[in-house]
Amino acid sequence: AGKLFDHRVRVLVDHGRLRRRQLRICGLTDNDLYAQLRQRGVFDLTGLRYVLYETKGDLTIVPDRDGPGSEPPLVEAGLDSAHNYQHRFGAAP
């Protein structure tokens, strides 16, 4: 038996900017995301490089601390597999 849905990694926050279309595709509202971030001690999007919505519905929060192009390998892998997202290492968002 196959999966009912093809859940792909989605980029919900890109360099502090909410990607509302991606939220809607995941069936989330702004408030859903904000509640999950608050539970993890995050109270402001401006300090975030990315928030990834993983295939199982978990969030991966990547703080913005190392400058462009310095994503750890697992974050790069998530971005590479993110549906409909082209990241530009070393480029301004």
Side-chain angles (χ1 to χ4, degrees):
K3 292 181 183 178
L4 292 176
F5 299 101
D6 179 19
H7 295 286
R8 296 180 178 161
V9 174
R10 302 260 177 194
V11 179
L12 302 182
V13 175
D14 182 1
H15 290 81
R17 287 184 294 229
L18 193 58
R19 301 181 76 218
R20 285 190 172 88
R21 184 170 186 275
Q22 295 300 310
L23 273 177
R24 304 300 176 259
I25 290 169
C26 296
L28 300 171
T29 66
D30 297 11
N31 286 335
D32 293 334
L33 178 63
Y34 296 149
Q36 288 191 38
L37 291 174
R38 283 192 304 272
Q39 289 174 359
R40 292 165 172 80
V42 176
F43 301 98
D44 188 2
L45 295 181
T46 59
L48 300 179
R49 182 174 294 172
Y50 301 108
V51 174
L52 305 178
Y53 186 75
E54 301 288 352
T55 57
K56 303 284 186 190
D58 294 328
L59 293 181
T60 296
I61 300 167
V62 182
D64 194 5
R65 56 169 83 118
D66 296 325
S70 58
E71 282 81 0
L74 289 178
V75 172
E76 279 191 40
L79 292 172
D80 286 340
S81 66
H83 181 66
N84 212 14
Y85 181 76
Q86 290 90 30
H87 60 285
R88 301 170 311 274
F89 293 113

